[in-house]
Amino acid sequence: MATFAVVDHSRELNRGRLEPFLGRHRVVDVWAPDADFPTEIDAAIVMGGFMGAYEEDEHPWLRVEKAWLAKLVGADTPVLGICLGSQLLADALGGRAYLADKPEVGVVEITLTEAGRRHPVARWLGEGAYFAHRDTFDLPPGAVLLAETDLYPAAFELGSALALQPHPEVDAYEAIRWADHPDFDLIEAAGMTKGEYLAGIEAHAARGERAALSLFAAWFDRFS
């Protein structure tokens, strides 16, 4: 049994498909704004959120979190960053997170790089995944690009860090629920209709479930 720090940045987001995998281990719940990041852990999972990784003036604890992430990777502790988590890793490791020209939302096509196709975890992203983000990032020095969309990098690896811009933890039910949230404005901002968004979710549901569970199984395999 390994000890995982799971970092949350929003009370409204849940861990979805991660839960059964985390249930086999000891979990240290971390509320990021408290800036109380543990050190005696075997791995960390950094979840999504609504703030930007670069909004340090508004959220000063982001500086503490990024310094903690850099220290973990420097110590070769496995870190999985999802959406905001991937942007925080990019920023912490010498890249740059910033507001994208256009958000990506819904099921988005992915192209795996040669390294991504060989990667034991990222290869399970397949040809498409669920995205919901308005920020993107430049790769840190030395990072290996594993996947990209037509617009932005989608996954990279650097040392013990694996950064995923999509949301493999979000199942179809949750993705549909997000569309009904009054503050979820990404669909219109991305130039989509709600109908197009929902149709993509429905068409991808079964394939996305299989891919996400395979991806998490592959990442957690080292801790079994």
Side-chain angles (χ1 to χ4, degrees):
M1 179 181 292
T3 299
F4 289 84
V6 182
V7 183
D8 292 308
H9 305 91
S10 170
R11 302 294 192 192
E12 295 187 51
L13 303 179
N14 62 55
R15 298 168 185 176
R17 293 176 177 134
L18 276 166
E19 290 289 6
F21 297 95
L22 291 169
R24 303 166 193 166
H25 300 280
R26 179 173 178 265
V27 175
V28 178
D29 296 310
V30 180
W31 177 237
D34 288 342
D36 184 15
F37 298 99
T39 55
E40 300 300 317
I41 57 172
D42 297 305
I45 300 175
V46 186
M47 305 297 291
F50 300 110
M51 65 287 299
Y54 45 84
E55 294 180 329
E56 296 176 350
D57 290 342
E58 185 175 353
H59 308 286
W61 48 266
L62 285 169
R63 296 186 181 92
V64 183
E65 182 171 5
K66 286 186 277 191
W68 175 70
L69 290 173
K71 187 174 181 180
L72 288 180
V73 177
D76 204 33
T77 301
V79 180
L80 177 64
I82 297 174
C83 198
L84 173 61
S86 71
Q87 298 154 15
L88 288 166
L89 279 170
D91 229 30
L93 300 177
R96 182 175 74 99
Y98 55 94
L99 181 65
D101 291 335
K102 180 181 179 180
E104 287 182 315
V105 67
V107 177
V108 179
E109 291 185 2
I110 289 175
T111 300
L112 293 171
T113 65
E114 183 177 348
R117 290 191 294 272
R118 296 195 308 265
H119 195 274
V121 180
R123 68 188 181 94
W124 292 107
L125 287 169
E127 298 178 352
Y130 178 74
F131 287 72
H133 70 104
R134 65 177 74 252
D135 293 333
T136 187
F137 54 80
D138 294 332
L139 293 182
V144 178
L145 180 66
L146 301 174
E148 57 190 342
T149 68
D150 286 345
L151 298 177
Y152 310 115
F156 73 84
E157 183 175 56
L158 180 55
S160 61
L162 176 62
L164 304 176
Q165 181 64 79
H167 281 279
E169 84 284 9
V170 173
D171 61 21
Y173 174 84
E174 185 72 359
I176 292 169
R177 189 180 73 85
W178 284 11
D180 291 327
H181 194 286
D183 295 330
F184 191 74
D185 61 352
L186 293 179
I187 297 174
E188 183 178 355
M192 299 176 65
T193 67
K194 186 176 179 180
E196 290 170 333
Y197 172 89
L198 295 175
I201 299 300
E202 182 178 354
H204 183 71
R207 187 173 68 229
E209 181 81 4
R210 291 192 300 269
L213 294 179
S214 296
L215 183 148
F216 288 136
W219 191 79
F220 277 88
D221 182 63
R222 77 189 77 181
F223 306 105
S224 60

